[in-house]
């Protein structure tokens, strides 16, 4: 049984219809010694990908796929790397994307797939003026 | 923010899944944002306030 209800799927499909660029969701999971949330993340990503053919899921092994792990600088799993037309958006999600995290995932997919960033022009100017590497970590919970 | 500037990386972390990190950054409520290991932002803020705090920009007069 799917995690998304029929109604969720209908609404989500409509939102995702605005995507014009391919979006790859690279999921790192740990088969042994990892948490069950990796499987939940996989199911959620596959259900989202099933709603729009521009979205694909690529699964990587956190323990074995060391080259990809280094490439995307992944240090914990489950991890989701969001690519826009094979280009790293530098947006990452760690843990199963349920609850509020799910909303964040969908928003990240829309940014990656449309190129549209919904920020005020002034805010955008401040962000674009950043000249040093900046690492933002946002902690949240599903509820 | 990450999508708008290639120098920015943005991680959304499920706090209960990564308890070690939550303890490291003293996450006692969510959302909590950590920028470059030094700036801490508690709770949700309006867009401009959040970006100002995250980028350590001076307060508007």
């Amino acid at each position: 049984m799917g995690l998304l209800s029929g109604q969720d799927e209908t609404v989500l499909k409509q939102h995702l219809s605005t995507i014009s660029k391919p979006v790859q969701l690279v999921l790192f999971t740990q088969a042994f010694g990892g948490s069950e949330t990796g499987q939940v993340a996989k199911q959620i990503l596959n259900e989202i990908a099933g709603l729009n053919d521009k979205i694909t899921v690529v699964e990587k092994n956190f323990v074995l796929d060391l080259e990809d792990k280094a490439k995307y600088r992944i240090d914990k799993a489950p991890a989701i790397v969001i690519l826009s037309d094979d280009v790293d958006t530098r947006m990452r999600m760690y843990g199963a994307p349920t609850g509020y995290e799910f909303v964040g995932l969908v928003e990240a997919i829309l940014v990656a797939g449309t190129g549209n960033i919904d920020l005020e022009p002034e805010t955008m100017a401040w962000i674009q003026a950043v000249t040093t590497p900046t690492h933002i970590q946002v902690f949240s919970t599903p509820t | 923010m990450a999508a708008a500037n290639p120098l920015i990386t943005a991680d959304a972390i499920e706090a209960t899944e990564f308890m070690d990190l939550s303890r490291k950054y003293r996450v006692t409520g969510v959302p909590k944002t950590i920028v470059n290991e030094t700036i801490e932002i508690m709770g949700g803020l309006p867009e401009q306030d959040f970006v100002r705090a995250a980028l350590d920009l001076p307060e508007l007069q």
Side-chain angles (χ1 to χ4, degrees):
Chain A
M1 190 183 144
L3 293 171
L4 298 175
S5 70
Q7 195 181 353
D8 290 340
E9 284 189 356
T10 304
V11 174
L12 192 53
K13 196 169 184 170
Q14 197 179 345
H15 281 291
L16 296 175
S17 67
T18 56
I19 287 176
S20 57
K21 292 191 281 188
V23 176
Q24 295 83 24
L25 304 172
V26 184
L27 172 67
F28 287 81
T29 55
Q30 196 172 347
F32 298 102
S35 64
E36 286 177 11
T37 53
Q39 290 308 309
V40 175
K42 182 178 174 180
Q43 187 175 348
I44 291 171
L45 296 194
N46 283 332
E47 287 185 30
I48 294 173
L51 299 176
N52 188 306
D53 58 13
K54 289 193 173 65
I55 303 171
T56 50
V57 180
V58 181
E59 197 174 357
K60 299 288 179 185
N61 186 302
F62 181 70
V63 178
L64 301 176
D65 292 323
L66 298 178
E67 202 174 310
D68 292 299
K69 203 174 140 181
K71 180 180 174 185
Y72 297 119
R73 298 175 305 284
I74 298 301
D75 60 1
K76 49 193 170 289
I80 302 163
V81 178
I82 298 154
L83 307 182
S84 169
D85 205 3
D86 287 324
V87 176
D88 188 357
T89 62
R90 299 165 309 286
M91 294 188 280
R92 309 270 187 271
M93 301 201 73
Y94 296 97
T98 56
Y100 288 125
E101 299 274 329
F102 180 78
V103 177
L105 172 65
V106 172
E107 286 176 356
I109 291 171
L110 289 174
V111 169
T114 63
N116 297 333
I117 305 170
D118 188 19
L119 291 174
E120 293 169 30
E122 197 176 12
T123 321
M124 189 69 111
W126 297 339
I127 295 168
Q128 288 174 339
V130 171
T131 55
T132 53
T134 302
H135 182 207
I136 302 169
Q137 299 179 89
V138 182
F139 290 84
S140 66
T141 53
T143 54
Chain B
M1 290 174 73
N5 187 319
L7 288 169
I8 300 176
T9 302
D11 298 344
I13 301 166
E14 209 281 275
T16 54
E17 171 111 26
F18 300 100
M19 289 304 291
D20 289 351
L21 268 186
S22 296
R23 272 190 288 271
K24 178 182 173 185
Y25 294 114
R26 299 185 302 277
V27 178
T28 52
V30 290
K32 181 169 183 178
T33 304
I34 308 291
V35 183
N36 288 347
E37 311 284 324
T38 52
I39 298 169
E40 295 189 5
I41 305 169
M42 273 304 300
L45 295 178
E47 178 186 308
Q48 293 209 344
D49 295 340
F50 179 84
V51 174
R52 278 193 167 278
L55 301 182
D56 202 19
L57 300 174
E59 296 281 326
L60 285 176
Q61 294 303 310

